[in-house]
Each structure stands twice: as structure tokens, then as C-alpha cells.
Amino acid sequence: MTATHDNGDTGGVPRRPPADRDAALCLGGVVVSGVGTSALWLASGVWVKELTGSDGLAALSLLALWAPVLAGPVLGTLADRVRRKPLLIAASLLMAAILPTLLLVDSPADVWLLFAVLFVHGTAGVVQDAAESALVASALDPARLGGFNGLRTTLNEGVKLIAPLAGAGIYAAYGGAGVALLDAATFALAAVLYAALRVRESPPAKGRRAPMSEGVRQLWAHPRLRPLVLAGGTAMLLAGLNGALLYAVVEGLGRPPAYAGVLAALQGLGSVAAGLASGPALRRLGERRFAAAGIALTGVAVALRAVPHEPAAWAGSVAIGAGLPCVLIAALTAVQQQTPGALLGRTAASASTLLFAPNVLGLAAGAVLVELLPHRPLLVLLGLALLLTPLQLPLSACRTAARSPSDANPA
């Protein structure tokens, strides 16, 4: 699928307005919806914890949100077989309509509805991520994608500086239903921003369509993409285990569950720094070195969370926020640069599946382990495992600065 831009009547010759405008609108939609999503992410765990008293069920609320990435190759195919702009709008409007049903949740018996809405939320997120990645890749020069993805991470993760604390405040004042209404409003606003995109997409190609598995095949056969995705998936598996221990860490500090919002905000601060530095760092280090450095930093940070003092927990949260996005930015940028446009939706979604499905498994396993074992020794073991993960990455890969436009469409 290709995208063209028309800025009005130019005597039959289409004029291309600055791609920055469409990129900015995409960023706006991601950030606006991300504010509500980040707030609901925190509120859902606190909500389930207060309704049921279970750390394991609170962790499973995160699992419900992440589980749809397992269907990434299937869901991402939508972004290759329909126009991407209408798909972004439709997914946003769907969530704006569904989220108000959480007004009905007020007892432990209603927790299933919260899990169901979170599952739909995660499904819409997988589709939107694939459509947005493909749309942006068609509008920007390949050499600029690393900087764009870094800025996207800065803005998207940076909402953790505000949204979790705001979500905790809204939750304290109005309960989980208030946070759900905030999330619905942000999705409605995101739909408006996506509708303002000027990109005009050509109809998806007719005739024989590539199978849904083509995205996975593209990733596995590509010598630059495969090691990044494998290392990223390993890191996200361990990060999922760490994420499931969040409320145990908070409890170990003697704080109420809502204190998780403070740690999430600090993690957002680290992600802002990583996103701002990612463009120059990718050009200087290359994808694999950049990813390896981020994974190693995450390992140190996770182990630091085992120290039962608040300053250590704060430092660990900031460092996790700075380290973990590095491998994700590196992998997504490489996928956008190395994948033909007609396959980019399903390949981006397949990459998300291979990166984030292990996170789902980690959350599920962590929800069990946190009920059975003390969390501090687990954190130390996870940190050590993360420090070993970059050994999967051969560090002799060429740097991202050495690109030609043809790299975006390898033979």
C-alpha cells in the first residue's frame, strides 16, 4: 500500500505537503490516546487489587491488556488489506464507545467485565500500532524513522510523568469509572486527529494476497531483523516477570497500591530521556549496540528494585524506563527500514507479537510466582538474566547511518 499527499488543485500535478504534518498528527493521536491508556493501565491494577485483594489478579489485569499481541500476525494483516487511516479512526471510535461500560464494575463479581474491556483495548492497540507504523513509514524518509520512533517513545512513554498520577488522582476521587471515561474521551480526540491526516492512500492491491505468515517469514529470514527480535523478545519476557512483581515491590516498601503510579511516573521520566537520545544513539552505535546497552541497563535496574528502600526503587524505575525502550526502538526502526511497504502492516504487527508475546507470558508466570516465592530474590535473578541477554546480539552489524533509500525495499 502506498500513500500520496494532495494539497489542493495544482493543475493536475499533486503537491506533497510537509510529511511532518501527518507525522505530527500521528504522534498527537498516539499521545492523546496514550494518556488515557496509561491512566487506565494503573487504575485497572489498583481497581482489581482493591476489589479482590489479590496481587495475582492485579497482575492479570495487565495480562488482559497485553494478551492480544499473541494475534499480531492476524490483526496486523488488516493494516495491509484495508486503508490505514480509516482503520485508525475506526479503532479509536470503537474504544470510545466500549470504555463507558466499565461504569458497571463495582464488585468482585464484575471483574470479568474489566478484563474483557482490557482485552478489547489491547486488540485495538495492536491494530492501531500496525496501521500507524505502516502509514508513517510510507510518509517519512527511511533515514528519519529512527528519530521519529525515538520522539514517539519520548511522547508516548513521557505521558507516564503525568497520566499515572492523574489516573491515581481521578481514581481516588471518582473510582475506576472516572478513569474509564477519561480514556474514552482521549480515544475520541485521537479519532479527530487521525481524521485530519491529509495522506491519501491508494486502494490495497487486489489479486493474490500474501499470507498472514509472511510477516513472520520476513522477520525470521532477515539477518538484521532476526537477532534484534530474538533479543528483544527475551528482554520483554524478563520484563514481564518484573512487571508482575510491581505491586509486591510497592507492598515491600510499605506503600499502598496506588503508589505504583509514582514508580510508573519515574519510569516515564527514563523513557523520555531514552527517546530523546535514541536518534543520535542509533546513528552512532547501530541498532544492535544500542539495543544491547539498553537491555544491560534494564538488568541492573531490575536487580536494584530488590533493595528495600525507596531511593533504590526510584532509581530502578528511572533506569528501567531508560533501558527497556532501546531494544524496542531499534527493532521497530529496523523493521520499517527493511520491509517492503505491502508487507509492512503484518510485519510490524508480527514484530510486536514476537517482542511482546513473551511479555504476556512473563506477566502470567509472574502472577503465579509472586504468590509462591519472595519477590526480592526473583528480582536479582531477573536482573542477572537480563545482563546475559545481549550475548544473543552479534555487535558487528553496520550502523544505521549507512543507509540508502533502497534499504527500505530489499530484494
Side-chain angles (χ1 to χ4, degrees):
M1 182 185 297
T2 59
T4 60
H5 295 74
D6 187 354
N7 199 27
D9 184 9
T10 58
V13 179
R15 283 193 291 121
R16 186 180 180 89
D20 289 349
R21 179 185 181 277
D22 285 336
L25 286 170
C26 281
L27 283 173
V30 169
V31 171
V32 166
S33 61
V35 169
T37 298
S38 183
L40 184 66
W41 164 79
L42 171 68
S44 62
V46 177
W47 204 350
V48 173
K49 170 73 173 178
E50 291 192 350
L51 285 173
T52 66
S54 170
D55 286 332
L57 286 177
L60 286 177
S61 69
L62 300 181
L63 177 61
L65 192 61
W66 283 104
V69 302
L70 296 171
V74 177
L75 297 172
T77 303
L78 288 173
D80 289 335
R81 294 185 176 173
V82 302
R83 290 177 175 171
R84 289 149 181 171
K85 173 183 170 180
L87 186 59
L88 286 168
I89 297 170
S92 297
L93 291 177
L94 173 67
M95 290 313 306
I98 288 178
L99 280 160
T101 62
L102 293 182
L103 293 171
L104 301 175
V105 177
D106 63 2
S107 72
D110 300 323
V111 167
W112 71 268
L113 178 58
L114 176 57
F115 286 162
V117 171
L118 289 173
F119 183 83
V120 176
H121 200 307
T123 301
V126 172
V127 173
Q128 285 186 303
D129 284 347
E132 187 244 346
S133 293
L135 198 62
V136 167
S138 69
L140 289 181
D141 185 277
R144 299 180 59 195
L145 289 172
F148 173 86
N149 290 327
L151 181 59
R152 185 185 190 277
T153 297
T154 295
L155 296 174
N156 194 30
E157 296 296 324
V159 300
K160 292 179 181 177
L161 295 172
I162 301 172
L165 295 176
I170 293 173
Y171 182 86
Y174 303 105
V179 181
L181 291 178
L182 169 67
D183 199 12
T186 62
F187 271 108
L189 180 55
V192 172
L193 292 174
Y194 291 135
L197 290 169
R198 291 179 182 172
V199 61
R200 290 187 178 181
E201 301 177 78
S202 59
K206 296 182 179 180
R208 184 180 181 275
R209 292 173 172 174
M212 290 179 288
S213 61
E214 191 66 25
V216 175
R217 187 176 295 112
Q218 163 74 5
L219 293 171
W220 191 254
H222 201 291
R224 295 180 66 175
L225 300 181
R226 184 175 63 249
L228 276 171
V229 172
L230 288 176
T234 303
M236 293 303 293
L237 170 67
L238 299 171
L241 288 164
N242 170 66
L245 304 180
L246 173 62
Y247 292 98
V249 170
V250 170
E251 187 175 356
L253 295 174
R255 293 288 190 168
Y259 189 74
V262 175
L263 300 183
L266 291 169
Q267 185 169 325
L269 180 63
S271 296
V272 168
L276 290 173
S278 63
L282 274 169
R283 290 190 294 272
R284 188 178 188 87
L285 300 175
E287 294 115 337
R288 296 186 186 183
R289 290 186 179 91
F290 181 60
I295 294 171
L297 176 60
T298 305
V300 174
V302 168
L304 189 59
R305 275 187 162 179
V307 179
H309 298 290
E310 287 191 15
W314 299 340
S317 294
V318 173
I320 289 170
L324 194 58
C326 295
V327 67
L328 304 178
I329 294 171
L332 176 59
T333 301
V335 166
Q336 289 174 315
Q337 291 173 330
Q338 300 294 316
T339 304
L343 293 176
L344 188 49
R346 76 200 71 185
T347 303
S350 297
S352 292
T353 295
L354 295 174
L355 288 168
F356 293 112
N359 188 260
V360 175
L361 298 176
L363 285 168
V368 175
L369 290 175
V370 74
E371 300 286 354
L372 301 176
L373 300 172
H375 69 280
R376 291 192 179 99
L378 286 174
L379 288 168
V380 173
L381 291 175
L382 290 174
L384 292 173
L386 280 161
L387 287 172
L388 295 174
T389 297
L391 297 178
Q392 299 180 52
L393 287 168
L395 300 183
S396 59
C398 51
R399 297 182 179 182
T400 57
R403 291 278 191 274
S404 68
S406 62
D407 285 345
N409 291 283

